[in-house]
Amino acid sequence: MTEYFLIIISVVFVNNIVLTKILGLCPFMGVSKKLDTSISMSAATAFVLTIGSITSWLINYFLLVPYNLEYLRTISFIVVIAAVVQFTEMVMEKNYPYLYRVLGIFLPLITTNCAVLGIPLLNAQLSYNLLEAAIFGLGGALGFSFVLILFASLREKFEGANIPNAMKGSAIAMLTAGLMSLSFMGFIGLDRL
Amino acid sequence: MEITDKIFKFFGGIKPNGHKAISTINPIKRLPIPKKLIIPVRQHVGKVPNIKVSVGDKVLKGQILAEPIANISAATHSSSSGTVVAIESNKIPHPSGLPDLCITIETDGKDEWIKRNRIDPSNLSSEALYETMKSSGIVGLGGATFPTHIKLNSNKIKTLIVNAAECEPYITCDDMAMQEKTKEFIEGIQITMDILKIPHAIIGIEDNKPKAIEKLKTVLNKSKNISIKVVPTVYPSGDEKRLIYLMLGLQISKEKRPVDFGIQVFNVATLISIGRFFYHSEPVISRVVTVTGALKRPNNYEALIGTPIQELIKDAGGKSDQEIIMGGPMMGFKLPHTNVSVTKAMNCLLAITDEMKSKDTFEMPCIRCTKCVEVCPAQLQPQELYWHAKSNQFEKLTEDYKLFDCIECGCCSYVCPSNIPLVQYYRYAKSEIRDQLKSSEVADIARERNEFRLYRLEREKKERAERNAQRRAQTSDSDKKKLIEEKKAAIAEAMKRIEEKEK
Amino acid sequence: MVMIDSPAIKERSTVSTVMFTVILGLLPALFLQIGFFGYQILGNLFVGIGFALFLEAVCLKLRNYPIRPFILDGSAFVTAWLLIISVPANIPIWTLLIGIFFSIVVAKHAYGGIGSNPFNPAMIGYAVLLISFPKIMTNWPISDGFDIRNFIQFSQFISIENINEAYDAIVSATPLDQIKTSLFLGKEVNALGISLSTLSSYQMIAILYFLGGLFLVYKKVITWHLPLSLILSIYIFSGLLHLYDQNTYMSPLFHLLNGATFLAAFFIITDPVSSPTTLKGKIIFGILIGLITVIIRNYGGYPDGIAFAVIFMNICVPLIEKFTQPKVFGYE
Amino acid sequence: MIAAILIILSITALIGLILGYASIKLKTDGDPIIDRIDKILPQTQCGQCGYPGCKPYATAIANGEADINQCPPGGDDGVQKLADLLGVEYKPLNAEHGETKPKSIAIIDESTCIGCTLCIQACPVDAIIGAAKQMHTIVEKECTGCELCLPPCPVDCIDMVELPETTDNWKWKYPIHSIRQQN
Amino acid sequence: MNEYKIILKTISIISLLGLVFAVSLSITFEKSNPLIEQNKIEFKTKLLNEILDGLDYDNDLIDSYISIKPNELLKNKTETNAYLAKKNNILQAVLIESIAPDGYSGDITILTAINSNDEIIGSRIIDHKETPGLGDYIDQKKSTWIFNFNGMSLSNRADLDWRVKKDQGTFDYKAGATITPRAVIKSVKNTLIFYKENRELFND
Amino acid sequence: MIREQLQDGLWKQNAGLVQLLGLCPTLAVTVNITNGVALGVATIFVMMLSNISISPIRNYVPESARVPIFILVIAGLVTIVDLSINALSKPLYDALGIFIPLIVTNCIVLARVEAFASKNSTLPSLYDGFFMGLGLTFVLIILGAVREIVGNGTLFQNLHFLIGDKYEFLTIQLFDSSDGFLLAALPPGAFIALSALILFLNLVNQNR
Ligand SMILES: Cc1cc2nc3c(=O)[nH]c(=O)nc-3n(C[C@H](O)[C@H](O)[C@H](O)COP(=O)(O)O)c2cc1C
Ligand SMILES: Cc1cc2nc3c(=O)[nH]c(=O)nc-3n(C[C@H](O)[C@H](O)[C@H](O)COP(=O)(O)O)c2cc1C
Ligand SMILES: Cc1cc2nc3c(=O)[nH]c(=O)nc-3n(C[C@H](O)[C@H](O)[C@H](O)COP(=O)(O)O)c2cc1C
Ligand SMILES: Cc1cc2nc3c(=O)[nH]c(=O)nc-3n(C[C@H](O)[C@H](O)[C@H](O)CO)c2cc1C
Ligand code: SF4
Ligand code: SF4
Ligand code: SF4
Ligand code: SF4
Ligand code: FES
């Protein structure tokens, strides 16, 4: 039990997938302008991440490892993930057209969210079992959603701030991400207990 | 609703120095009838009334100059007898400094009344009463100038609250009126109770008016149906909803009106006017104005509506170039022009003092110290309102932060260490939001009309096509060929023309 | 013509009065600090605040803001002061100036200057220094007790060089740090010989921060919500751990009197700009900072986690505020 | 090699099957975003955006054919709102499509009007009333100020007049003594 | 009918591409794999040789190892390999990997070479997460601290000497970072103890 | 056309600074110039290849499987690059770690495929891949240089992994690395440095 808890603590706080591991930054920067959209985006990403890490684990364990085909990891993982995303996208377009519209170019880009491929790859590297892999995926999703939502809520506030013109937009967002990352450095060591 | 002696203290509020003593030394003063009265046609919220006189007409005191045209509208009367010399745009006391339609009367000094007969409200049907009130020109004299006949036209009212708080610093007109016109005041309350058919009224009065309290208490000694509640002096206890809370412990938001809870609040001056209207058939042609501030002889004046304010200021020992605030120091606005005249809304003329001028006007950014939150009587988050108003985030203002519950009392600005003109930001945002609402309504109409037009054109086209088809069916084959050829030629010609043009 | 907006009258308090009251609250502790550690901290304050004001002026100039009123508002003064008293007095001056640069330029002016910064500038400066120069930041000068001669005796006004070698005679880790090291090495708490009957220099200074903080509450510069919730939170959470195992967790009183607890409770988490404005929000903010601090102190990599806890909670402020909006007059 | 090929092929074939099937089952129609865009547009119906009216422009934006900064009557505010709605970057109004003017309405000089009905046909919101050979008037409340009636008028009898500021439509201004020095 | 076509088209194009890449990838893999494996071996041998510091041996190190189960002294969590250097089939040295779990920020992995006299030939830090600039002086890339172990053995040093100077030992340390060296020293010492206690494992 | 593509790739539509795509490698591997260059070159290579592979088949790709197909191509190419780097320089491979396979998910690659290659013919697509990749590589190099100098006091550390052991002398030691400003080498420093770079770009654009 504790080790699962620690996995979550680790990916959410200590080795946060976005701020410490530096994965999934493009959607982190791109879909954080408004709180509402960021919440939808994190839900979609969380879904894909969890499903993705489970299916990838299955592929790795049952297909690649037995035949010594580890070099096919990248291609097989990502193709499956891309299909999951595409499927999610279609479901969304059908059922939540407005959301689909707002998430815009970032929905297909879930596929290219580094975290989405990174977590299954890390799973394979760390040779986690299925449960651990699923929890790692879920934790990664939580870690991503957590910082994305916090970041979006901060950025919404910036609209009223007297930010210098040259800093407006992506510069201040990047700086904020840096300072957020700085604060996450404080959690170093908590994944040991 | 149970009425007890309990005072319910509301959240927030401030206690600025009252400065009330300076204008209560002398009794209310009357000035001679001015040579010219400049009477704005509209002095209330609502529709502009219809002008009933024309240039050159002789008018008598109390004669209707303009008649209400809709429910939310009020009449305007002549304050003295004389001749209408102009009906034109003129400067009015308004924060914008924009002119509005005014009727200028040259007085004849005779101050001759039109024929008056006493009206007994108990003899009138409610419709007749409503119409009578509509022609009285009585509007809320507490500042809002909302037509009183609407506020009285309800059978749901259970509680009448008399707003005698007069919480703004410097202003003393209600205080003096209660002391000197006690009888008319009580009469007004009585009649209003009769009209509303309720047995009881409460007067809410701040404890910084001991003389008025004393006087009222002695007069009301025998009467059981009018009670007095003395409330602590905290600005803005005079605000309608704060006062209701003070008296009854009932909180009312912007989304509701006191009538919805069976409560109606009237200002002292409004009630006096009601009394005078029913006992003396006197419409609103004058009001008590406090003239105070940086003047030699601050005083209260019973001024005819339309009196140029310079006459009051001169009498109070002021100079003609004095900068004047209309209303109190908290809610009033600086008059863009001081050559305007007394209106129904004018309860106070405050000559700007050195202390006000030296107010540090350097605006620093908000440091979120929440001093403003601690004093906001509407329990809003002024710093958030400011943050979003200054960056035009209107949606958040109305949805998340309830901007329209702000009563613009100015408590937040009063305490803000950063000297931010918070109320100005709120007024700006409110104007913009109202304007956007208005234009989206206009846009909706335009969209509908455009859609209808497109639909109409479509229909016409179809009809025409049908007609053509019918006609074609009647024409012979050779005719058809001919027609086609003609068309072809026409097209070729058109193409040629276009080519030439492009060259 | 004078511009007069309503209201035309105003209470006489300005941002500067607020800020310099804060400095007043910090003065007594400074006196003790000099007595214990020597007047080097004065040199740091002198140079550091000067540099902070200089940077402030440069930023204002670049951003086309009037300089005088913003320099006089005292916020840079407070920020620099808080940063300087949080770092060891023997810090090489260049290091300190880097911290001040991050406080004033990166954490404050990049976000639009006073009032706009989401993060606590002093704590950003502190965290940057701690992460970048852990060696310098964990070696505090050793005190031989309060000595009035520290005020006059010449030692060093500021230090310029790095402490590269082990000067065990003059530097040591702070009590929290020492405890952490000992626990790391498997010692038990009661074997550490730490008693609270005699107050160490750090603890006495902490008590003066507490008193200075009460002064701020009295002056209405801050409300009681933030300090009380932080103090209670640290007390309760560390108390629970202590109850659970007395041998590996220090007593709650130790946690209150050591590290930056009181300084943070009254002077740091109360930074109006970067803390929540709602009352409920303030309480949540204080409690969570306390919780994170206790966790970092007991399990994390840093001896004292307040700076990180503050920055982390700064990130959460907009969300906290969003969910703790008080009810408006008349609404249920 | 064979194993690799088989594995990849089975994965890809499966995916192809699922996605192909989904593309048929989950077909979508209609785009609610058009109405939301149209709601933001000012409905002046002036055609300055390059489309015959606001709705066509809204459709074009939704389909990604038009940029969000082509409507001068909507002004910068409008562009900002569109940017917010669509989650794209704000960009200043494209000057090619004209600039934002204060709201005005058309007035027909009734003494010159010859009653040709040309303006009636041009008006997108039917704000002009009058019959052939009779003097026309414009319903002030309904005129959007699109100026489309100006060019067809053969005798140039239509003028655009700006709505004057009155105490009714007056707005409180943004507080002027802000911290920033004017530069 | 049409629907079938769409599905079929999707399947065929994606599978076709899959085929192309499956083939080209396997070819690339077969071409590059030997190189990659060789790289791995070279890298490891280089490291081992460096620690052995010129020791004379004639066997192929990579192929001659024994597996060590997780145990309390070495603190290894999974089975690790201990390499054996032999000359003429006589054991000259062993290379044992150990983990110091009590570093400041997590595990420190150390590789220690012990010669037939039970003396340390050398130690190297394989992996650590100690604070850069503070605890990372144990790393051979940053300072020569780790070379202090050269020549030490359980018998030629007193117990006390296996300590940092602060604890009256012989090892240098940097002020403010004593946890790291203490952890490393403890782990290296334990490696020697492990070797002493399990000598028979290596001598078969 | 090609001029415009050059300008877009390097400045106006710069992946790392303007479009904010491809951020993960930009921030994660740029602890020194060598990593930056290596990953940059690998990315350029993948972008060019994927653009020219997809451009010719763009008309045969069914809408419903668009992204999976694109990503399949990209992933295949990346794996080839990945295997090659591993075969050529193991230390470099270790240093770049998980970020080589992650070129697959480097947003800029798919973004260019979607935005450009799937709409244009082969040759312009090739240029597009090259210039966009080059723009990103410049950012990688600048960030790498800044972070290496400030954080570690060196320049061209590990360059010999890339070009051979005999060039080890190229590493320049500016000051003792234990005096380095550690923040620069850590994740927060990466963000802050990129922020500074964007600020610089904004300032230049403002002044023009
Ligand atoms: C636009 C507007 C509409 C109002 N409608 C009503 C109404 O329908 N019935 C009523 O009794 N009072 C109505 N009132 C009067 C208010 O209840 C209130 O008494 C008046 O605004 C004076 O309050 P104040 O000066 O605090 O703003 C209305 C007021 C305004 C401004
Ligand atoms: C901040 C504020 C303070 C007010 N103070 C008073 C006051 O002191 N006396 C008063 O009669 N009305 C005051 N009003 C107006 C009342 O809310 C309300 O409009 C009035 O009592 C209604 O009576 P009327 O319709 O007879 O004017 C105040 C309004 C506001 C917003
Ligand atoms: C951020 C930070 C990082 C640290 N990193 C290490 C480290 O890597 N290795 C170490 O031994 N001590 C490290 N320490 C120092 C320990 O907390 C402790 O101060 C030190 O080991 C005790 O040294 P002393 O026995 O010389 O007092 C670090 C301290 C801090 C604040
Ligand atoms: C009660 C109080 C506490 C403050 N605490 C801090 C602080 O912890 N850190 C800081 O940089 N500034 C602090 N300031 C100063 C000021 O608020 C700060 O410089 C602003 O964040 C700058 O925008 C404080 C000010 C007050 C009034
Ligand atoms: S009082 Fe002024 S500075 Fe303080 S929070 Fe309110 S608006 Fe901001
Ligand atoms: S003006 Fe508005 S926000 Fe300010 S205190 Fe009054 S009600 Fe509150
Ligand atoms: S430019 Fe004119 S027609 Fe086009 S959207 Fe704007 S108002 Fe409508
Ligand atoms: S009257 Fe003229 S300006 Fe007004 S809406 Fe019609 S066409 Fe447009
Ligand atoms: S490069 Fe875009 S998410 Fe990682």
Side-chain angles (χ1 to χ4, degrees), chain B residues 363 390 431 449 453 456, chain D residues 123 125-126 172 174 177 179:
Chain B
E363 176 188 343
K390 103 181 151 145
S431 299
R449 294 187 66 89
R453 179 183 137 92
R456 198 196 71 209
Chain D
C123 179
V125 291
D126 289 341
W172 284 95
Y174 196 85
H177 45 95
I179 36 173

Side-chain angles (χ1 to χ4, degrees), chain A residues 22-28 109-110 112-115 144, chain F residues 20-26 99 102-103 105-108:
Chain A
I22 317 204
L23 292 171
L25 278 171
C26 306
F28 181 68
L109 288 192
I110 293 182
T112 54
N113 179 338
C114 298
F144 179 80
Chain F
L20 295 189
L21 291 173
L23 290 176
C24 307
T26 310
F99 285 94
L102 287 187
I103 294 178
T105 50
N106 185 328
C107 304
I108 190 66

Side-chain angles (χ1 to χ4, degrees), chain A residues 111-125:
Chain A
T111 317
T112 54
N113 179 338
C114 298
V116 168
L117 180 60
I119 286 192
L121 285 179
L122 284 173
N123 270 334
Q125 237 173 47

Side-chain angles (χ1 to χ4, degrees), chain F residues 98-143:
Chain F
I98 196 175
F99 285 94
I100 297 174
L102 287 187
I103 294 178
V104 180
T105 50
N106 185 328
C107 304
I108 190 66
V109 180
L110 187 70
R112 287 331 286 177
V113 166
E114 285 248 272
F116 202 92
S118 67
K119 294 187 183 121
N120 290 287
S121 59
T122 313
L123 203 58
S125 300
L126 179 75
Y127 294 144
D128 183 75
F130 179 70
F131 291 133
M132 282 291 163
L134 195 64
L136 189 64
T137 308
F138 277 147
V139 177
L140 285 166
I141 291 176
I142 296 172
L143 269 187

